[in-house]
Amino acid sequence: MNPIITADELLSESAGARPPVLLDIRWQLSTAKAAGAAPFDGRAAYEAGHIPGAVFVDLDAELAGAPGTSGRHPLPDVDAFGAVMRRAGVRADVPVVVYDGGQGWAAARAWWLLRWTGHQDARVLDGGLAAWSGPLSTDIPRPVEGDFKPVPGAGLLDAEAAAALARSGLLLDARAGERYRGDVEPLDRVGGHIPGAVSAPTTENVSPDGRFLSPQDLTARFRALGATPDTEVGVYCGSGVSGAHEVLALAVAGIPAALYAGSWSEWTQDESRPVATGPDPQ
């Protein structure tokens, strides 16, 4: 199943006999708080206008646990995540479409969680709300309680598995190149990357309008980075958000990949873990 959906396809499906459940995951990674500015308010953006019928889900509060030794956006408690999805109307046998403001990272986090916990029909709106040409609504829906019960499956790496995969397969670092090299590090204790990981910035998976490159172009990109048909692939980022977007890009290319959800913000919590710097993976 194609893991993304176009705005035209969503408009058509929403008017059909089996409309998808819509989840609005507007969120932005921001250093505004450290600078004394107000952080981005996704709920306020949602309330100002959203795709009709969409339910807002808060990434920080509902798609992540409390920051700590497991990283800045550790995975949420599975039962709590299931309760959030059911309150949003998610059912096991009904398609789900998630979107954000256009960057795609937050929507991909929700998509990855749904797929990891067993939902068989979750997709991301390609290009996010910016690609939507239909009407917007300020009505806050009250959906009927869903029945989705999350059951975690494969596709999740911990720190040890990520380190091993960097040696035995392909571990992609989805952060910006300057953070991978350790030139700058605005968020975590130290800059650099997991030894053996290959730099693969998420931003290079999309066109300037935020839509994914074609499956053919993505396949060529990942093949050039070392993702052969026989290669086990994993991804990490800063805290498991943009990394989910890279897993989604790999899925568009037909390449399965696991996510190290704790990512760099967890890796660097343990000062005994090795750190590589510069452009060389090692």
Side-chain angles (χ1 to χ4, degrees):
M1 184 188 70
N2 191 344
I4 59 176
I5 182 172
T6 68
D8 287 344
E9 289 169 340
L10 176 57
L11 190 62
S12 176
E13 288 191 20
S14 296
R18 192 168 176 253
V21 172
L22 296 174
L23 303 180
D24 184 311
I25 324 285
R26 269 180 277 182
W27 171 89
Q28 290 180 12
L29 177 64
S30 175
T31 57
K33 185 176 181 181
F40 175 77
D41 189 336
R43 186 176 296 276
Y46 164 81
E47 291 175 351
H50 51 266
I51 297 176
V55 175
F56 179 73
V57 177
D58 188 304
L59 186 149
D60 288 320
E62 298 175 316
L63 301 183
T69 57
S70 296
R72 281 182 281 107
H73 290 104
L75 295 183
D77 175 82
V78 171
D79 289 339
F81 171 70
V84 168
M85 292 296 100
R86 289 190 294 275
R87 285 197 301 272
V90 174
R91 304 187 62 82
D93 60 350
V94 175
V96 179
V97 171
V98 294
Y99 71 89
D100 56 26
Q103 186 180 43
W105 294 5
R109 170 75 171 215
W111 167 84
W112 185 86
L113 281 167
L114 283 163
R115 296 301 301 273
W116 175 61
T117 56
H119 201 288
Q120 300 301 309
D121 194 351
R123 289 168 291 171
V124 169
L125 175 59
D126 194 17
L129 188 63
W132 176 254
S133 59
L136 296 179
S137 173
T138 57
D139 292 338
I140 308 300
R142 298 288 182 262
V144 174
E145 183 91 359
D147 64 1
F148 177 63
K149 295 181 180 179
V151 179
L156 176 65
L157 301 173
D158 60 15
E160 290 69 28
L165 186 58
R167 298 188 298 269
S168 66
L170 177 65
L171 182 65
L172 298 176
D173 185 317
R175 297 172 301 158
E178 58 267 25
R179 293 184 69 193
Y180 170 88
R181 295 188 300 270
D183 299 342
V184 299
E185 182 44 64
L187 296 169
D188 295 313
R189 184 181 63 82
V190 64
H193 57 270
I194 297 173
V198 174
S199 180
T202 290
T203 52
E204 296 180 17
N205 296 324
V206 297
S207 60
D209 64 3
R211 292 178 173 88
F212 281 103
L213 302 179
S214 70
Q216 295 78 15
D217 287 344
L218 286 171
T219 298
R221 165 169 160 74
F222 291 123
R223 291 287 184 258
L225 291 169
T228 69
D230 299 324
T231 304
E232 186 179 358
V233 180
V235 178
Y236 76 96
C237 58
S239 64
V241 179
S242 66
H245 190 268
E246 185 118 302
V247 172
L248 176 58
L250 284 153
V252 172
I255 302 169
L259 177 68
Y260 172 26
S263 287
W264 191 245
S265 60
E266 179 189 50
W267 182 268
T268 56
Q269 291 284 330
D270 185 342
E271 295 186 15
S272 71
R273 292 188 181 122
V275 170
T277 57
D280 190 318
Q282 300 302 329

